[in-house]
Amino acid sequence: MALIIDGKKISSEIKDEVRDRVSVLKEKGISVTLAVILVGDDPASAVYVRNKKKACEYCGIESLSYELPSDTSEEKLLGLVDELNEREDVDGILVQLPLPGHLDERKVTDRISPEKDVDGFHPVNVGRLSMGEPGFVSCTPQGIMELIKRSGITVEGKECVVIGRSNIVGKPLSMLLLRENGTVTVCHSRTADLKAVAKRADILCAAIGKPCFVTSEYVKEGACVIDVGINRGEDGKLRGDVDYEDVLPHVSAITPVPGGVGPMTIACLMKNCLESAEKKADR
Ligand code: GUN
């Protein structure tokens, strides 16, 4: 029987651990604060931001909310980031993406102080990760590593294949697997014979953005399969990048969609905010 990795349960455990550590800081008179900036009225972004604020409330983290109109100028947005960078009481700054087209996402996320970049998107933090130095790590790949570790799966010496090379998931995830001494291959749309490469994997991570792309033909017998995909079908149902029913009989462990990787992102965001405040407390 395959292990169905329960992201809902593991993310709750992490949020409970964060809540405990936040209360330890509070006893020392230190609060934890996340500033969330949302520009425009993208409905999906509004849902994500609402869920982030709810998680903050659960963990005892203060959230400051900045909801700006879609015609906000770059100058104004950068001014707000500068102001939040300066504030002693703000531990984390998150600018919800995507931004409206006239705003340069790179320029805005680069403006966030690396010490408050709880999304782990700043080039300084990406560089720290690639050099194996401490820094903020992008929340979804960090969440995937927590799922793997807390399920008792070892990475050391394993063949790890990541399908997808995005800056937010594929690339940082490959760095984290490498840091844990996995042998890592990153595949993408131009990879020759993707099926054959994927079939080598002991740990196969799918972050492609195509529903049910990974079938049993891609999976080695007994592999651990991590599904990062969140694709909403025409029927409104969520589907991963993995054809779950087809793959299930062949795996030793698998993450479902929903309830696998999805809930981990926000839990790790909470952890990053906490750790930012803990660093401030140590200074
Ligand atoms: N949009 C979709 N996912 C994310 C995320 O993890 N962080 C931010 N800032 N925006 C997002």
Side-chain angles (χ1 to χ4, degrees), residues 98-143:
L99 288 172
H102 67 286
L103 299 169
D104 181 342
E105 286 184 356
R106 196 65 267 161
K107 199 163 160 190
V108 174
T109 50
D110 286 6
R111 190 73 158 244
I112 296 170
S113 158
E115 311 321 314
K116 298 189 179 188
D117 167 40
V118 285
D119 260 327
F121 293 170
H122 194 286
V124 164
N125 284 317
V126 175
R128 285 170 174 159
L129 171 62
S130 73
M131 297 174 82
E133 289 172 9
F136 289 117
V137 176
S138 178
C139 301
T140 301
Q142 191 187 149

Side-chain angles (χ1 to χ4, degrees), residues 190-234:
R190 310 283 171 87
T191 297
D193 205 355
L194 180 57
K195 277 182 194 165
V197 180
K199 224 175 164 92
R200 294 207 303 256
D202 302 307
I203 299 173
L204 178 62
C205 304
I208 315 151
K210 288 186 186 158
C212 300
F213 181 89
V214 173
T215 60
S216 56
E217 291 176 76
Y218 289 74
V219 177
K220 180 164 90 175
E221 224 36 58
C224 162
V225 174
I226 304 290
D227 189 349
V228 194
I230 303 178
N231 310 287
R232 199 170 286 280
E234 280 170 17

Side-chain angles (χ1 to χ4, degrees), residues 14 61 146 148 169 283:
I14 291 173
I61 295 174
E146 292 283 353
I148 291 173
V169 180
R283 278 200 291 270

